[in-house]
Amino acid sequence: MADTQNDRRYVGEPKIVLGLDVGTTQSAVSYVHLFPNAIPAVRIVNKWPGQEEVAGDSKIPSLVAYEGSRPIAYGAEALEYTNTEGYYVAKWFKLHLHPDSMKVVDEPPVYGSYSNTPPTFEIPPLPPSVSLKQIYAHLLGYLFDHAREFFKNNTVDGSRIWQQLGEKCVFVIATPNGWDTTQQAFLRSAAILGGLLPETFPEDRLRFVTEGEASVHYALEYSQSSTWLKKGVIFAVTDAGGSTVDSTLYECKETQPKMILEEVCASECVQAGSVFVDRGAAAMLDRKLEGSTFKDEAYLGDILEEFEKKTKRKFDGTQVNSIIKFGRDWDNDREHGIFKGRITLSKDEVQSTFNEVIPRIVNSCSNLLSGRKVEHLMLVGGFGESPYLRKQLKDTFGSKGVEVVTVDESTKKAAAEGAAIWHIKQLVVARAVRSTFGIIIWRPFDTKNLVHNTRRHKSYVDDDGVNKITGFFDTWIKKGSVIGDELSKVFNYQRIYKTLDNGLGSFSVDIYAWEGEGHTDWGRDESGNLLPNMRRVCTLKADLSGLARSLKVQKGPRGQDFWRVEHSVAVLFGGTQLRARLQWYEGDQLREGPVSVIPNSIF
């Protein structure tokens, strides 16, 4: 529980805030009841069906078991349906939402893959009769339903409080740093489908925070940050989860009167989470038990389960041997290290299970810290509790003057609790842009421009008599740029219309993300197709029909009528949700209207 004793007491309207983190392998929910003159206390839902033997654990497996298209079990209870005929278990489905910029890694996944097309993230297929949105809706609905009952049963007068405030509760969903408007719109739709929110709801009832920022808030809450976080300090936060390990670098710009943090650069993401240690253990045991009668699916499953629960979590690199009890006293195979239902693993054998992931994590952190004076690396997340991972990071970066800070709250999930803390504190954080954003436009053909001349055969004379080329990418903001909450820019454009009958009433602008390396002059190839690394993020739509009254018809070089419409797009880049407005002149008066953001669909 996070009690922010040094914070101001809450002065707003009473409300309930739920922080949700649907992770690749683990999910969790936190909550806080805010009411006037009280010090906010963030609590975590730490009792889940099927996990009674580990009471106090806030994390549940991100699993949904299906019989056809019907969900029948969630979390730990879904495990019993794994590899059971007639049932399907959705796992790692979060990876289907990753944009391409997050899927590419330096080398293929280790210990087997669902795909023979490296080098991409390993993404298990979805159950055949259910969509990704339905899976999210089912799991979000389950998390919400259970959190609601937990709140009622574990809060003084909880049922009455929920009856008063539950229908207006605020949801804060933690999302990966590389997600944008597209993924947020998907989650918004899934939250409605899952029964968390009605079809129409106030915008402030659903908020998004990056997992990096949520983890920062969590880590600062539990690490006595007041003793080391000063103006000018640069620190990293590494969130080591089940599948991915995300690292973000921050610089503290101010501490008073309000803390201001700034991302130094775009974050690092590598697929090297704890599940790959389990894969390493499976591969090691497969070799070790070759020729043994205990190389059987049932025995191996029991051994791996104990390895995951105990051996992996306790190993720090100093144990000479690790013993796993999996069978009965008369189960013996001394040749393969099995005696009285126990298998003995040497230090080298256990260490080998980490060999594929540790270098990838260290290299990822090294890329982030390279060339910068970083004083602290804060390690959070489920895999961040591994003593061996902690030791390897301390051995690597300690000699370089970097202190590895850990938060000993092993039953917590940083992003879930951090999401609720973020809603309360809302530190000012300037973010690094993960992709280059802009739109695809035409430009007047310039015979002296080498880039233009590569497509001079595609030039054409428009109705206004100007020789033009289409397909240029007009950059709004470059990848790696650091933007604050209030950064806004205005971009001026013009369009030529042959008729005003319908066009102004359905005005639209497509926004694209360039996810390739470096800069691109073009957004489309000569055939008009999007370039491979160009992704449509969303469409801004507005009604300009009121502008028609102030437009004057013009004559083209061939005597044809045309209308020139000049307009501006004002974009607010700060925050985690895209906001934009359209501006134009009607005569001498500047007009401004809202823009509907229509996200690109995923599934």
Side-chain angles (χ1 to χ4, degrees), residues 383-430:
F383 192 26
E385 299 162 14
S386 163
Y388 189 62
L389 174 58
R390 292 182 179 188
K391 183 177 185 301
Q392 295 301 306
L393 291 176
K394 289 179 179 180
D395 289 348
T396 301
F397 298 107
S399 60
K400 300 176 182 179
V402 180
E403 179 188 11
V404 177
V405 181
T406 56
V407 181
D408 291 323
E409 295 283 337
S410 62
T411 62
K412 302 294 184 66
K413 199 168 195 296
E417 189 163 354
I421 297 172
W422 170 86
H423 184 82
I424 299 168
K425 291 191 171 183
Q426 294 198 15
L427 308 183
V428 177
V429 179

Side-chain angles (χ1 to χ4, degrees), residues 252-325:
C252 181
K253 291 295 188 179
E254 297 288 348
T255 58
Q256 297 294 334
K258 189 170 185 177
M259 185 176 293
I260 300 177
L261 304 177
E262 182 178 287
E263 286 187 20
V264 176
C265 58
S267 59
E268 287 275 331
C269 176
V270 60
Q271 192 178 16
S274 63
V275 294
F276 293 104
V277 178
D278 299 338
R279 292 283 178 88
M284 178 269 294
L285 289 168
D286 188 66
R287 295 188 299 269
K288 181 180 180 67
L289 296 178
E290 184 64 40
S292 172
T293 57
F294 292 98
K295 188 179 179 180
D296 173 86
E297 185 174 334
Y299 285 119
L300 285 174
D302 291 341
I303 297 172
L304 286 171
E305 183 177 353
E306 289 299 305
F307 175 89
E308 194 280 329
K309 287 181 178 179
K310 299 176 182 178
T311 309
K312 178 180 69 173
R313 304 185 188 194
K314 294 179 179 179
F315 183 72
D316 62 7
T318 63
Q319 298 93 330
V320 176
N321 292 304
S322 296
I323 299 175
I324 297 176
K325 178 174 174 53

Side-chain angles (χ1 to χ4, degrees), residues 2 6 8 47 59 95 166 171 176 206 217 227 370 384-385 393 425 431 448 451 464 475 483 505 525 548 553 602:
N6 295 325
R8 298 176 182 175
K47 292 180 182 178
K59 296 168 285 191
L95 298 182
F171 297 94
L206 179 60
H217 281 71
T227 63
S370 178
E385 299 162 14
L393 291 176
K425 291 191 171 183
R431 303 169 179 88
K448 298 179 180 180
V451 174
D464 61 352
T475 297
I483 57 176
D525 61 23
V553 65
I602 303 176

Side-chain angles (χ1 to χ4, degrees), residues 99 188 199 357 452 460 565:
R188 185 178 291 108
E199 285 285 346
V357 298
H452 288 210
Y460 66 98
V565 176

